[in-house]
Amino acid sequence: MMSIDKIKNETTPMIQDDILDYAISHGFGDLHFKVDNETGMKAIVAIHSTKLGPALGGCRFIEYPNTTSAIYDAMRLAKGMSYKAASVNLPLGGGKAVIIKPNQPFNREAYLHAFGRFVNDLGGRYVTALDSGTQLNDMDIIAQHTPYVASLSSHNGDPSPSTAKGVLRGIQAAVEFKLGKDKLEGLHIAIQGLGNVGYQLAGHLHELGARLTVADVNPTSVERAIKNFGATAVPTESIHKVPCDVFAPCALGAIINDFSIGQLQTTIVAGAANNQLAHSYHGQLLHDKGILYAADYVINAGGLIFAASKYLHTPENLVLQQIDGIHTSLMAIFARSQRENRPASEIADILAQEKLGLAPTR
Ligand code: NAD
C-alpha cells in the first residue's frame, strides 16, 4: 500500500504553461481556432484523436476567465471523449468545441451560424453535439451549415435512459466480479442523485430486487423514490457513508476525494456521474482499500452510444448490444486490474490508450 503523499507526488500533473507541449504529451491530433470577424465569435475545436473515427464531442457555450482556460477545457474534454468512445469500441474519435460566451450582449444566433460554418470547414473530422450552454435548437441552427452534427431536435431523444441501462450493466459487472453474484436481489445500493439517470437507475435496481438508500437535494425526487421503489432516504451529506454493497454516484463530480474516501463503507463504487475521482490518485486509494471502482467514463458511456447511434444511424439491436458491451468492457478492466494489482481506473486509461495507439500518459 502506498502512502497518500507518495501517491499525490507521483500523480499530480505538472502545471503546463505551454499549450502545444500539453497537446503533444497528451497525444493530441489537432487544435483549431476561429475568430469570426463579422460576428466577433471566438471558438476552439480540440481534436484529440480520429484514429477510430470522426472526433465526436459536445460544444460548450459558456464564459471563461480567459482564452487559455477555454483551450485547456476543450482539450481536457476532447481527450475524455476519445477514451470514452474507445473504451466501449465505438467507431469514433474524441473532440470537443468551445464557443467563448462574451460577458456583454451579443447575437447568439449569429454566433451559432458562424460556428456551423467553422465545423463544416473541418470537413467531418469533428462532429458537434450538445454540451453545457447549448440546446437542441442551437444544434438545428448549426446544422444549417454542416452535416457534422450529432444531436438535433429531429433526433428526438434523451440519452439518459441509455445511460441508466449502461450503469445498470456496469453495476452488474462489478457485483459479479467483486461479490461473485449474478443477481442484484437483496443487495443494498446507495444512490446519490435522483435526476434523469439516477431515478431511472433506481427503477431498474428496484425491479431486480435491490434495496435502495437514496439522497437528493430535491425532496420531490426523494419522495418519488420512497413511494415508487420503497427506498430509504438519508441526508445528502450522509449518502456516501451508508454501509452498502454498491455506492452509485449519480449527481456530482469529485465525490471521491480526500475527505470522503475514508468515510466510504462500500465494496463497489459504480455510478453515472462524470469525473467521480477528484484526482487520479483517488483511484489508487480505492484500490488500496479493496473498493472496486467502475471507471466513470466507461460505465456512463450509454449516453454517448445513444448520441452516436443517431449520427451513425446504428440499428436499434446494435445499440442495445453496445450498451450491453459496457458489462464486457468493465469485466476486462476488472480482470486486468486484479491480475496486475493496479487500480481499475488506471487500467481503464491504459486499455483506452492501447486502442488509441497512444503511449501511457499517467
Ligand atoms: P440531473 O441534473 O438530471 O441529475 C442530477 C441530480 O443530482 C438532480 O436530481 C439533483 O437534484 C441531484 N443533486 C445535486 N446535488 C446533489 C447533492 N449534493 N446530493 C445529492 N443529489 C444532488 O443529471 P443526470 O442527467 O441525471 O446526470 C447525472 C450525472 O451523470 C451527472 O454527473 C452527468 O454529468 C452524468 N452523466 C449523465 C449522462 C446522461 O445521459 N444524462 C451521461 C453521462 C454522464
Side-chain angles (χ1 to χ4, degrees), residues 140-296:
D140 293 346
I141 295 172
I142 294 166
Q144 291 174 27
H145 301 276
T146 181
Y148 309 121
V149 183
S151 16
L152 294 170
S153 50
S154 60
H155 288 158
N156 190 26
D158 169 10
S160 54
S162 304
T163 306
K165 276 187 211 147
V167 174
L168 174 69
R169 292 300 284 136
I171 290 176
Q172 287 170 323
V175 163
E176 232 171 282
F177 192 85
K178 183 76 186 172
L179 306 177
K181 294 190 175 166
D182 61 2
K183 288 200 169 51
L184 299 181
E185 203 174 346
L187 292 186
H188 183 193
I189 302 185
I191 305 178
Q192 179 183 47
L194 294 166
N196 290 318
V197 180
Y199 186 80
Q200 294 181 74
L201 174 66
H204 294 314
L205 294 169
H206 172 66
E207 267 176 33
L208 295 173
R211 180 162 68 89
L212 303 178
T213 298
V214 300
D216 195 294
V217 287
N218 179 350
T220 314
S221 310
V222 174
E223 279 154 28
R224 248 187 348 153
I226 295 171
K227 182 166 168 269
N228 295 338
F229 311 137
T232 302
V234 294
T236 51
E237 61 278 14
S238 308
I239 187 75
H240 66 281
K241 302 182 214 167
V242 169
C244 59
D245 298 296
V246 181
F247 171 49
C250 296
L252 312 164
I255 178 62
I256 309 298
N257 52 47
D258 287 347
F259 176 71
S260 67
I261 201 155
Q263 299 178 324
L264 295 173
Q265 297 193 62
T266 182
T267 48
I268 293 165
V269 174
N274 280 316
N275 305 315
Q276 289 170 38
L277 305 180
H279 195 286
S280 56
Y281 68 76
H282 292 111
Q284 177 75 53
L285 296 179
L286 286 176
H287 182 72
D288 290 344
K289 282 169 72 75
I291 297 175
L292 185 63
Y293 172 62
D296 45 13

Side-chain angles (χ1 to χ4, degrees), residues 90-123:
L90 286 175
L92 292 170
K96 211 81 182 186
V98 159
I99 306 174
I100 299 175
K101 189 173 174 186
N103 58 6
Q104 58 208 17
F106 67 102
N107 183 337
R108 182 180 176 94
E109 200 169 323
Y111 269 44
L112 293 165
H113 284 291
F115 180 71
R117 292 190 291 271
F118 177 31
V119 170
N120 198 52
D121 286 347
L122 299 175

